[in-house]
């Protein structure tokens, strides 16, 4: 494992961007306790942050840019040579995107790791590897859980065939859980993963949501503030746990009520635009899904599989449609889909499969979301690993 860990570090430290151009940015977060020219900007210096800021905030005269990293699937087949190579490839993709786009903020859109494929005592070891390119560049981030992040371990059938169970490789040397066995198949819970991220990363804006929503964990609000006043919200980002893994793939009615209550408190007149992020698409995605190719008004480049939705719809989409302030929902989960389609007054968008882990051989990349303040607008596009940009779309009137 060490040689592949060293390979990841080498790619991270000495990576040379192959993209066409770059741009830098700044960030912000609030815990609720609670022009087609964008890819022609010149590179500017990024100042590494060493402490969290009070809120996400526009830089003076600049838009706010978010990179979405979806379905990284770190830790797959960790006992083989193939698995660590895929993790190194995923580090390369993220490094390319970060150096090309220099975003203000990164959102890890679920399935950061493939827990059902790892037998380590502490899956946070792989979680930490996944966030390392962003952390090393001093860019703040937030995470949302997917259906693989705390999925139960699935025993490989080949382990039980001749010549027998292979030697398991566990990265004990970097373990943050001293005293535990080298390998464990009990898994690492959502709460444990979130606790570890918050404890060791001052740049993380992730949160364990209200306890009354557990086992749903990654439910929280981020506020993007004006460049002139950190107390003046320009947009709210709602991050929601869509389940899977240790519990059903669903956004519960309790989460719907929590979001309804939260929006009434912080944005009662729907004056401030809102953007939503979760992992597994809702059933509404299937209603707007393109048939065969992607045709207007939808925008995207791949439509290679059927939408795999949550198991039930408990009212979340009804709530969002009734709020004119909600502009877009962003999800991952389907590796062969990267389109955005309108749904009533808002947009439903897939990210782009970023990681080399997980199924599918489609080229990897990242969806970028850029928010401008004066006048308010949301644009999005996809940056590929090789620097190519496509699927640009304006998500606001």
């Amino acid at each position: 494992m060490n040689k592949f860990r060293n390979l990841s570090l080498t790619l991270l430290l000495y990576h040379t961007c192959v993209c066409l151009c770059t741009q830098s940015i700044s960030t912000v977060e609030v815990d609720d306790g609670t022009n087609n020219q964008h890819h022609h900007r010149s590179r500017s210096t990024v100042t590494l942050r060493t402490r969290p800021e009070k809120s996400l905030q526009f830089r003076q005269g600049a838009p706010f840019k978010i990179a979405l990293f979806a379905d990284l699937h770190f830790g797959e087949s960790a006992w083989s040579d193939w698995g660590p190579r895929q993790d190194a490839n995923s580090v390369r993709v993220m490094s390319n995107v970060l150096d090309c786009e220099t975003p203000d903020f990164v959102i890890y859109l679920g399935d950061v790791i493939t827990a059902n494929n790892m037998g380590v005592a502490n899956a946070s070891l792989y979680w930490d590897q996944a966030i390392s390119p962003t952390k090393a560049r001093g860019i703040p981030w937030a995470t949302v859980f997917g259906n693989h992040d705390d999925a139960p371990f699935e025993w490989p059938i080949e382990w039980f065939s001749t010549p027998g169970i292979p030697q398991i490789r566990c990265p004990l040397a970097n373990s943050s859980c001293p005293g535990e066995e080298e390998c464990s198949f009990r898994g690492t819970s959502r709460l444990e993963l979130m606790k570890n991220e918050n404890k060791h990363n001052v740049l993380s804006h992730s949160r364990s949501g209200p306890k009354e929503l557990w086992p749903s964990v990654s439910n929280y609000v981020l506020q993007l503030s004006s460049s002139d006043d950190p107390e003046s919200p320009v947009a709210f980002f709602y991050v929601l746990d869509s389940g899977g893994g240790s519990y059903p793939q669903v956004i519960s009615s309790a989460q719907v009520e929590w979001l309804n209550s939260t929006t009434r408190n912080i944005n009662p007149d729907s004056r401030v635009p809102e953007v939503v992020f979760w992992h597994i698409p809702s059933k509404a995605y299937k209603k707007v899904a393109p048939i065969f190719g992607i045709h207007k008004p939808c925008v995207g480049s791949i439509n290679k599989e059927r939408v795999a939705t949550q198991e039930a719809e408990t009212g979340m989409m009804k709530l969002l449609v009734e709020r004119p302030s909600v502009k877009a929902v962003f999800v991952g989960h389907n590796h062969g889909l990267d389109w955005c389609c309108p749904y009533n007054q808002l947009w439903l968008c897939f990210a782009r499969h970023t990681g080399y882990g997980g199924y599918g051989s489609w080229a990897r990349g990242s969806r970028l979301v850029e928010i401008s303040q004066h006048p308010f607008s949301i644009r999005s596009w996809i940056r590929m690993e090789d620097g190519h940009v496509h699927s640009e779309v304006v998500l606001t009137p």
Side-chain angles (χ1 to χ4, degrees):
M1 290 285 288
N2 288 337
K3 66 179 180 180
F4 293 110
R5 193 170 293 114
N6 291 338
L7 175 58
S8 297
L9 183 59
T10 301
L11 286 167
L12 178 61
L13 294 178
Y14 298 104
H15 163 70
T16 301
C17 181
V18 298
C19 64
L20 302 176
C21 52
T22 63
Q23 176 190 4
S24 70
I25 312 187
S26 67
T27 83
V28 188
E29 174 256 14
V30 166
D31 175 21
D32 73 332
T34 79
N35 113 359
N36 292 338
Q37 304 299 316
H38 55 251
H39 57 285
H40 296 297
R41 298 187 178 104
S42 60
R43 179 188 295 272
S44 55
T45 302
V46 178
T47 301
L48 296 182
R49 292 94 164 165
T50 56
R51 58 187 177 84
E53 302 179 23
K54 292 182 179 180
S55 64
L56 299 170
Q57 190 169 9
F58 283 93
R59 287 187 302 112
Q60 193 70 41
F64 187 86
K65 190 191 295 185
I66 304 168
L68 304 181
F69 292 152
D71 300 279
L72 294 169
H73 289 280
F74 269 68
E76 287 195 349
S77 300
W79 54 84
S80 70
D81 291 338
W82 179 89
R85 283 200 303 270
Q86 308 321 302
D87 293 348
N89 290 337
S90 298
V91 167
R92 185 185 67 240
V93 178
M94 290 186 284
S95 296
N96 287 356
V97 171
L98 293 173
D99 290 343
C100 289
E101 295 285 357
T102 57
D104 293 287
F105 198 60
V106 170
I107 295 180
Y108 288 84
L109 206 54
D111 284 359
V112 178
I113 58 176
T114 304
N116 48 294
N117 220 203
M118 58 179 72
V120 297
N122 179 15
S124 290
L125 297 169
Y126 289 101
W127 193 277
D128 293 344
Q129 287 181 27
I131 64 178
S132 64
T134 301
K135 182 177 180 179
R137 289 161 174 79
I139 302 172
W141 72 87
T143 54
V144 59
F145 287 117
N147 55 299
H148 283 278
D149 290 314
D150 71 343
F153 183 76
E154 298 175 4
W155 294 88
I157 192 64
E158 60 267 23
W159 284 15
F160 301 92
S161 61
T162 304
I165 300 176
Q167 181 179 356
I168 310 303
R169 310 177 193 177
C170 297
L172 183 63
N174 295 327
S175 175
S176 59
C177 298
E180 290 197 3
E181 297 178 357
E182 290 189 12
C183 298
S184 170
F185 303 102
R186 65 174 178 80
T188 305
S189 71
R190 276 165 153 79
L191 286 173
E192 290 176 284
L193 289 167
M194 188 66 80
K195 181 179 179 181
N196 181 80
E197 181 181 327
N198 293 153
K199 181 178 180 180
H200 300 291
N201 299 288
V202 295
L203 295 176
S204 171
H205 292 267
S206 306
R207 293 291 180 268
S208 296
K211 291 184 178 181
E212 59 268 24
L213 300 182
W214 294 354
S216 175
V217 172
S218 54
N219 302 285
Y220 52 96
V221 183
L222 306 178
Q223 177 177 308
L224 175 60
S225 299
S226 168
S227 57
D228 302 318
D229 180 6
E231 303 301 320
S232 177
V234 175
F236 288 113
F237 304 149
Y238 301 118
V239 181
L240 296 167
D241 191 334
S242 56
S246 59
Y247 71 100
Q249 298 183 12
V250 64
I251 292 179
S252 69
S253 58
Q255 288 170 277
V256 177
E257 181 51 41
W258 170 77
L259 185 64
N260 188 30
S261 175
T262 300
T263 56
R264 287 201 305 265
N265 288 332
I266 67 176
N267 196 18
D269 57 1
S270 295
R271 179 184 60 85
V272 181
E274 300 166 320
V275 184
V276 186
F277 304 89
W278 66 65
H279 180 69
I280 305 174
S282 68
K283 292 184 178 297
Y285 274 76
K286 186 170 288 188
K287 295 179 181 179
V288 301
I291 299 176
F292 303 113
I294 300 173
H295 310 286
K296 291 184 178 181
C298 298
V299 178
S301 70
I302 56 172
N303 185 38
K304 299 297 185 179
E305 58 180 327
R306 295 182 179 180
V307 178
T309 70
Q310 297 168 31
E311 296 176 23
E313 172 58 56
T314 64
M316 181 57 73
M317 290 309 305
K318 183 176 185 295
L319 172 62
L320 298 183
V321 165
E322 290 174 350
R323 293 189 61 77
S325 47
V326 178
K327 305 304 179 183
V329 179
F330 295 93
V331 303
H333 194 55
N334 278 102
H335 301 180
L337 303 175
D338 73 351
W339 45 260
C340 286
C341 290
Y343 180 70
N344 293 306
Q345 91 287 352
L346 56 86
W347 285 79
L348 302 180
C349 293
F350 280 97
R352 179 78 186 209
H353 184 198
T354 305
Y356 270 78
Y359 71 90
S361 58
W362 304 287
R364 271 57 170 182
S366 169
R367 179 171 290 282
L368 280 296
V369 181
E370 185 179 80
I371 301 175
S372 297
Q373 183 176 1
H374 299 301
F376 182 87
S377 69
I378 303 175
R379 298 176 181 270
S380 184
W381 64 94
I382 293 172
R383 169 77 67 176
M384 302 303 293
E385 178 184 5
D386 65 0
H388 177 59
V389 171
H390 62 84
S391 302
E392 303 175 55
V393 59
V394 177
L395 303 176
T396 48

